[in-house]
Structure formats: structure tokens, C-alpha cells
Amino acid sequence: TCILGKQQMIGKNIKKFRKIKGLTQEALARKARIPYTTLAKLESSVVKRPSVQVVSKIARALGVSIERLIK
């Protein structure tokens, strides 16, 4: 399922919120319980259409809404 119109924004937003929280990619991946490689690919826009589950886990780990990540 794709919930994203602006796929390229999600990686930038994840990175932005991750840095605000002072987390490394590894720390965020652990906290969100997703593979580190998935997070790295998302942030570098290799993965452009992450699943709703992955986006939801990342949003929860960052303490932000899914809407804030995909805008």
C-alpha cells in the first residue's frame, strides 16, 4: 500500500526529525524495530514507497504523526 504522494519528502523528513531527536540511523532503526538498511535506504530515497507499517513504526519511534513525516 502506498500512502505517499510526495515520496521523496519522507526520507528528508525522517532524517530531519531523527537529527532533532539526536538519534543515529542505527538507534532509530532499533527503536522503530526495523532493519537499519531499510532506514538507510529510506533516508537516501532508494526506497521511495515504504509500507504503511514501516512509516508507522518510524513515526511512533520519533514521536511524530505519520502526516508530519509524509508532508
Side-chain angles (χ1 to χ4, degrees):
T1 15
C2 177
I3 54 166
L4 309 172
K6 305 171 185 154
Q7 286 92 354
Q8 72 286 358
M9 287 309 295
I10 191 158
K12 288 190 183 98
N13 288 338
I14 291 169
K15 190 175 197 170
K16 180 180 80 180
F17 287 117
R18 175 175 64 76
K19 292 198 181 248
I20 289 170
K21 300 278 179 184
L23 294 167
T24 62
Q25 284 184 326
E26 224 169 271
L28 176 56
R30 262 199 312 274
K31 199 172 172 189
R33 296 196 169 114
I34 60 168
Y36 165 78
T37 49
T38 301
L39 181 63
K41 286 177 182 173
L42 262 172
E43 282 195 5
S44 60
S45 296
V46 173
V47 171
K48 293 193 179 1
R49 293 173 176 238
S51 71
V52 175
Q53 289 88 337
V54 167
V55 176
S56 172
K57 286 178 175 182
I58 293 169
R60 201 172 311 123
L62 288 170
V64 298
S65 66
I66 290 174
E67 289 72 31
R68 289 196 64 193
L69 283 185
I70 61 180
K71 275 190 179 141

